[in-house]
Amino acid sequence: MESVQAIKQRFEIIGNDPKLNRAIEKAIQVAPTDITVLVSGESGVGKENIPRIIHSLSHRKHGKYIAVNCGAIPEGTIDSELFGHEKGSFTGATNTREGYFEVANGGTIFLDEVGELPLTTQVRLLRVLENGEFIKVGSSQVQKTNVRIVAATNVNMLDAIQKGKFREDLYYRLSTVEISLPPLRERQDDIHLLFRKFAADFAHKYKMPPLKLEDQAVQVLQKFRWNGNIRQLRNIAEQISVLETKRDITASMLQSYLPLENNHLPSVIKDSKSESDFSTERDILYKVLFDMKSDLNDLKKLTLELMKNGSGKVQDINPNLIQKVYGAQSFDNEISFEHTPNTSVIAHNQNPTVYTEADEPFQFAETVEEEEILKLEQKEIELIKKSLEKNKGKRKAAADELGISERTLYRKIKQFNL
């Protein structure tokens, strides 16, 4: 088994980051097997090196190695590219064509950007992974293939599954072993090494003296975020190699080639709506009404317990409910309840308000309360709709904004048929 250092030299991989070394170690370990591997990482981190390492160290190394960029093939032709088609199966199919899975039989297929595959193609791919079977477009004959699949993606697959863009069963079938490559900003010590390698390559290519970075320029290089990762670093190195006449690069010279970063600056929000202030106040009002409805419901529960309870003693009423309505108080000293036949008495601070069952004010209060609850429900529905729309249908984010649990929000959505 080759060492990590030997593999890096063989495939011209620059860097000594522990996460990078661990990824290469895993590739070396799984190479002799036929285990399906999923390589994850941001765009530009060098994911294409891992399947090449796996193929070269496997027993399939004398077979074909085909790399397919799934995101670059139109949805209408991806099935034909992967599985082939029969003559006349669609307009323009003048001949029978072999797909990549047929051509690569006995070898390895690298499916780059596998997260971009259409759902219908995902079903076909799952069948290949499970039993090695596929059917050409326009054919009814089942064919067999023996290929090893290594896939790569730069998207969060669990998010894609949750949004219904990727099949969960296919994800777990692809990620038997998952190899993750770190972004360049997490490999600060490797950034200067990579830049020097690229600068030397371009100096040889364009027949110029190699670039040399001053110490401050190296610090600028290492502090930059490199959202495009190694691909972006290589592009910057090539620009400077071609455009700069001086070969000693200062920090200011390097800075002029780097795009502006606003990641760590305070965000400036443009006032695109003239009624933004009113909208904010309205949102606050809706939230107050939302909380008020909850308080009214608690008060209603307490009132019902008082009316149903025959003893009239505070100790017989649910203490948690009393505390929720009146707050953390001394119930014995500040709150008392009395109950006589056909009479309900609610007293606070020894100032009782008495309602008999025949009193019209009490009946009117019930009617008013029902109307208020109805209005509050309408406001609650409007607030929930607004929050869901604002958070693009994400229930967790909407629940956090509303100050309720996701489970409560889900129940409300079902209750109001939203």
Side-chain angles (χ1 to χ4, degrees):
M1 184 180 292
E2 293 189 49
S3 66
V4 172
Q5 193 61 36
I7 289 295
K8 285 197 281 190
Q9 290 177 354
R10 180 174 166 186
F11 290 92
E12 297 184 341
I13 299 173
I14 307 297
N16 295 308
D17 182 78
K19 292 180 181 178
L20 174 66
N21 291 339
R22 178 56 184 151
I24 296 173
E25 284 176 3
K26 290 174 76 172
I28 294 171
Q29 288 175 323
V30 301
T33 70
D34 276 337
I35 290 175
T36 306
V37 178
L38 179 65
V39 186
S40 61
E42 295 180 8
S43 179
V45 296
K47 296 188 292 294
E48 65 279 356
N49 288 320
I50 299 299
R52 286 170 52 218
I53 293 171
I54 291 172
H55 177 72
S56 66
L57 299 179
S58 71
H59 61 87
R60 298 173 180 268
K61 61 184 176 181
H62 299 298
K64 287 198 174 183
Y65 172 79
I66 298 178
V68 184
N69 189 333
C70 302
I73 304 175
E75 184 173 344
T77 60
I78 185 71
D79 285 353
S80 172
E81 293 288 326
L82 292 177
F83 308 107
H85 63 257
E86 293 290 343
K87 180 180 178 180
S89 57
F90 54 87
T91 304
T94 55
N95 294 301
T96 298
R97 181 185 182 280
E98 292 182 343
Y100 296 133
F101 279 100
E102 190 173 357
V103 174
N105 189 24
T108 304
I109 284 186
F110 170 44
L111 298 177
D112 197 8
E113 307 303 343
V114 72
E116 303 296 328
L117 283 176
L119 288 171
T120 53
T121 308
Q122 292 178 30
V123 176
R124 287 173 172 262
L125 179 59
L126 183 62
R127 185 175 182 182
V128 174
L129 285 165
E130 288 179 342
N131 49 34
E133 295 179 349
F134 69 95
I135 301 175
K136 285 185 177 181
V137 176
S139 173
S140 58
Q141 182 180 356
V142 177
Q143 294 183 238
K144 298 281 285 186
T145 185
N146 177 21
V147 294
R148 200 238 184 102
I149 296 176
V150 181
T153 181
N154 63 354
V155 301
N156 188 319
M157 297 299 278
L158 297 179
D159 282 350
I161 291 169
Q162 190 173 10
K163 293 174 182 177
K165 294 182 179 179
F166 202 84
R167 293 179 62 97
E168 187 173 10
D169 50 359
L170 177 58
Y171 166 70
Y172 289 117
R173 193 67 182 79
L174 285 171
S175 61
T176 306
V177 172
E178 187 165 353
I179 298 176
S180 179
L181 287 174
L184 187 57
R185 60 182 168 274
E186 294 180 7
R187 299 168 51 191
Q188 286 195 355
D189 293 338
D190 293 344
I191 295 175
H192 190 207
L193 292 174
L194 285 162
F195 185 89
R196 287 168 56 188
K197 170 66 167 62
F198 294 144
D201 290 345
F202 292 127
H204 177 73
K205 180 179 179 180
Y206 299 116
K207 296 179 174 57
M208 294 179 174
L211 299 173
K212 183 179 179 182
L213 295 179
E214 294 184 357
D215 291 341
Q216 289 184 343
V218 173
Q219 293 178 9
V220 171
L221 197 76
Q222 292 178 332
K223 289 179 181 178
F224 191 71
R225 278 189 62 81
W226 299 110
N227 292 325
N229 294 293
I230 298 172
R231 191 178 293 126
Q232 184 183 15
L233 178 64
R234 186 179 186 276
N235 180 271
I236 295 293
E238 186 170 16
Q239 286 185 55
I240 299 174
S241 296
V242 173
L243 298 177
E244 286 296 334
T245 55
K246 295 181 179 179
R247 310 318 283 172
D248 291 333
I249 307 301
T250 64
S252 59
M253 291 169 64
L254 175 61
Q255 194 73 54
S256 65
Y257 288 91
L258 300 177
L260 294 175
E261 287 188 310
N262 297 321
N263 298 25
H264 303 294
L265 297 178
S267 39
V268 179
I269 302 173
K270 294 183 179 180
D271 189 6
S272 57
K273 297 181 181 179
S274 59
E275 56 173 338
S276 60
D277 293 339
F278 170 74
S279 178
T280 304
E281 291 178 1
R282 185 175 58 190
D283 290 346
I284 295 171
L285 180 60
Y286 284 166
K287 193 160 187 177
V288 169
L289 289 170
F290 190 86
D291 294 337
M292 189 186 298
K293 179 180 181 295
S294 177
D295 293 341
L296 280 173
N297 286 337
D298 291 337
L299 187 59
K300 186 176 179 181
K301 288 177 185 177
L302 179 60
T303 305
L304 288 173
E305 284 203 26
L306 288 167
M307 294 175 68
K308 291 177 182 178
N309 195 298
S311 68
K313 296 179 181 179
V314 177
Q315 289 80 0
D316 295 330
I317 309 301
N318 186 341
N320 293 330
L321 188 57
I322 296 174
Q323 187 171 0
K324 192 173 182 182
V325 174
Y326 291 103
Q329 304 181 40
S330 174
F331 303 131
D332 294 336
N333 296 331
E334 299 191 21
I335 302 175
S336 63
F337 302 93
E338 298 176 7
H339 186 84
T340 57
N342 300 324
T343 304
S344 296
V345 182
I346 304 178
H348 186 265
N349 293 331
Q350 304 301 327
N351 295 315
T353 302
V354 182
Y355 294 112
T356 63
E357 292 179 357
D359 279 343
E360 290 184 1
F362 187 75
Q363 294 172 1
F364 175 74
E366 285 184 334
T367 306
V368 171
E369 182 183 350
E370 289 176 1
E371 291 178 356
E372 287 297 324
I373 289 174
L374 182 61
K375 290 179 182 178
L376 287 170
E377 280 188 357
Q378 292 172 349
K379 294 297 183 185
E380 184 179 3
I381 292 170
E382 188 175 349
L383 181 58
I384 291 172
K385 283 182 178 178
K386 187 176 181 67
S387 183
L388 287 170
E389 183 179 350
K390 182 179 178 183
N391 292 282
K392 299 180 180 179
K394 295 180 180 177
R395 290 200 297 264
K396 189 177 188 308
D400 290 341
E401 184 179 41
L402 293 169
I404 59 177
S405 68
E406 189 177 358
R407 184 175 179 182
T408 301
L409 177 60
Y410 181 73
R411 180 171 55 80
K412 292 287 184 184
I413 291 172
K414 292 192 69 177
Q415 177 185 344
F416 299 131
N417 195 25
L418 300 179

